[in-house]
């Protein structure tokens, strides 16, 4: 019986890092989008920072999309 | 020769039935959290999962070379052994479904193969070491890995999003969750439909219809894909309810974190050479997400029953399969008797399930208790969320008819309503 500790360890590490990174990115994206549609009365936010938040959000979502595509690629390949 | 082809036909049908139970047993993995957080309507969710399972079955060209991953010596395996193994796996799948417990279909198949092989050729046919590395260790590792990842991810998402309005962001999380769930479904179709194709192909090879080492014929691929998709569409609502509602109460953030963790673990594990069970990863992820939210609770009574079921999967399926193998060894009448018993026991389990039907209308289980409690419902639900659900009338009836592992069989319909978001 030989247990492949290296494989188990890498599954552990990769899963942990990827999950946390993806969820973090996606959350940043959602936060960014919700900032770009501020509730009435948030007059202090300039249009510039809204644009930045929105762009950042789309970058985050784009990265998540790339990860999903890579996931599909792994399933197919 | 005629006898042989009849046996083969029975094995193929049984394998497709197993594939079908595999589908509806595992719908929960992809869709339980999606349904419980309201990301998708129940029927839409299972339909989407079914389509992705079907697609997944055709996606991979990698043929399941071995059905047991080296657990048993597949050289010179007899067709009867495969049949007996399938009988054990199907009955265990149906039984755990009746109890609403998520358990690994692959482990049920492994258990069946081990039991039938032990009965057929003795201990020489089974690789004990592989049982530890392929079944026992992953069973411990899967929920830990997925749970830890989901817990940290849940913490992180609550931390980053702490200044946002929960209602405004819920839609986004639900969309993300659907994507993760889709990946899980696709991966499931690829892996598990392949497994059935492998079983049927092996049966055809042992029956002398196919040359050893040949690829599964197209009709095998199509029928396996369709069987798993149909099973998925039927939806194992009992298990979906346990996973989506019974273990913990999930909000969209948590559902998203759990499903993403599950998808990542499944893909990472199958591509880094240390396969983890889909079911166990998903259950672990759900529990981890439950623990990750401040004030989140995991209902350990339900979780404990689930763990017991995991531990019993291998021996129970093995025992049934060994019995089936013993019976089939008695000659053609034994095979007929085994087939008849399989149909009979399946029917019994199905009728038992009708006493407490769970389907897409009550899968989220909020309706009854909320109605009964009236205006006090929110308080009652909040209390119920921290205490294990009580055993009530119809449930104890079931528990009395079917000796359950762990007698605390709780009634799924009295599962508490999701406490209102505060």
């Amino acid at each position: 019986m030989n247990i492949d500790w290296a494989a188990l360890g890498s599954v552990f590490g990769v899963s942990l890092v990827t999950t946390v990174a993806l969820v973090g990115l996606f959350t940043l994206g959602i936060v960014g989008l919700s900032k770009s549609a501020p509730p009435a009365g948030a007059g202090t936010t300039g249009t510039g920072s809204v644009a930045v938040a929105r762009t950042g959000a789309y970058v985050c979502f784009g990265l998540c999309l790339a990860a999903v595509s890579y996931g599909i690629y792994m399933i197919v390949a | 020769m005629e006898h042989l082809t009849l046996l083969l036909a029975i094995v193929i049908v049984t394998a497709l039935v197993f594939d079908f139970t595999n589908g509806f047993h595992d719908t929960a993995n992809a869709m339980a959290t999606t349904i419980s957080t309201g990301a998708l309507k129940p029927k839409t969710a299972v339909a989407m999962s079914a389509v992705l399972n079907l697609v997944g079955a055709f996606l991979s060209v990698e043929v399941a070379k071995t059905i047991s991953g080296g657990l048993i010596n597949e050289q010179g395996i007899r067709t009867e052994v495969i049949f007996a193994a399938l009988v054990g796996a199907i009955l265990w799948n149906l039984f755990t479904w009746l109890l609403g417990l998520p358990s690994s279909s692959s482990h049920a198949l492994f258990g069946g193969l081990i039991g039938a092989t032990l009965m057929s050729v003795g201990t020489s046919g089974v690789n004990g070491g592989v049982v530890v590395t392929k079944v026992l260790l992953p069973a411990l590792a899967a929920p830990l890995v997925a749970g830890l990842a989901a817990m940290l991810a849940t913490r992180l998402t609550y931390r980053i999003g702490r200044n946002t309005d929960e209602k405004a962001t819920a839609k986004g999380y639900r969309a993300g969750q659907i994507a993760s769930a889709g990946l899980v479904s696709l991966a499931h179709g690829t892996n598990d439909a392949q497994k059935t194709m492998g079983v049927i192909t092996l049966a055809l090879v042992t029956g002398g219809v196919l040359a050893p080492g040949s690829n599964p014929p197209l009709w095998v691929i199509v029928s396996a894909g369709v069987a798993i998709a149909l099973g998925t569409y039927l939806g194992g609502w009992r298990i979906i309810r346990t996973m989506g509602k019974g273990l913990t109460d999930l909000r969209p953030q948590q559902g998203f974190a759990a499903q993403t963790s599950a998808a990542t673990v499944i893909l990472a594990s199958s591509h880094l050479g240390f396969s983890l069970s889909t079911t166990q990863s998903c259950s672990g992820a759900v529990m981890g997400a439950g623990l990750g939210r401040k004030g989140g609770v995991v209902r350990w009574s339900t979780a404990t029953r689930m763990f017991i079921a995991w531990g019993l999967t291998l021996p129970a399926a093995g025992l049934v399969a060994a019995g089936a193998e013993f019976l089939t060894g008695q000659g053609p009448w034994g095979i007929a008797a085994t087939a008849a018993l399989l149909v009979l026991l399946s029917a019994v389990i199905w009728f038992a399930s009708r006493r407490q039907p769970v389907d897409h209308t009550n899968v989220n289980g909020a309706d009854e208790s909320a109605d009964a409690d009236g205006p006090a419902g929110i308080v009652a639900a909040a209390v119920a969320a921290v205490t294990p659900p009580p055993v009530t009338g119809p449930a104890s009836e079931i528990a009395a008819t079917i000796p359950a592992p762990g007698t605390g069989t709780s009634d799924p319909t009295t599962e508490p309503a999701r406490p209102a978001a505060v």
Side-chain angles (χ1 to χ4, degrees), chain B residues 38-39 138 143 161 163 208 238 298 384 400:
Chain B
N163 291 328
R238 289 167 179 273
V298 168

Side-chain angles (χ1 to χ4, degrees), chain A residues 15-40:
Chain A
S15 304
L16 216 60
V17 171
T18 315
T19 307
V20 171
L22 275 180
V23 170
L25 268 178
F26 196 81
T27 310
L28 283 177
I30 285 179
V31 170
L33 271 195
S34 75
K35 287 242 169 74
S36 69

Side-chain angles (χ1 to χ4, degrees), chain A residues 1-4 7-8 10-12 14-16 18-20 22-24 26-28 30-31 34 68 71-72 74-76, chain B residues 59 132-133 137 141 145 148-149 153 156-157 160 164 169 172-173 176 183 187 190 256 261 264-265 267-269 271-272 274:
Chain A
M1 170 170 69
N2 90 77
I3 297 169
D4 196 348
L8 180 57
S10 58
V11 168
F12 219 107
V14 168
S15 304
L16 216 60
T18 315
T19 307
V20 171
L22 275 180
V23 170
F26 196 81
T27 310
L28 283 177
I30 285 179
V31 170
S34 75
V68 171
I72 294 176
M74 284 213 299
I75 294 173
V76 175
Chain B
L59 267 188
V132 175
T133 55
L137 193 64
V145 178
L148 197 65
L156 182 72
T157 187
I160 298 177
T164 53
T169 53
Y173 286 115
L183 273 186
T190 322
F256 169 64
S261 158
T264 312
V265 170
L267 287 179
S269 71
H271 286 266
L272 292 173
F274 200 93

Side-chain angles (χ1 to χ4, degrees), chain B residues 323-340:
Chain B
E325 167 61 17
F326 176 76
L327 207 55
T328 56
Q330 309 303 308
W333 70 266
I335 295 170
T338 312

Side-chain angles (χ1 to χ4, degrees), chain A residues 42-74:
Chain A
T44 46
T45 333
T47 40
S49 78
V50 167
V52 169
R54 187 167 275 267
T55 316
Y58 285 130
V59 170
C60 290
F61 287 135
L63 287 172
C64 292
L65 199 66
V68 171
S69 314
Y70 183 63
I72 294 176
Y73 166 77
M74 284 213 299

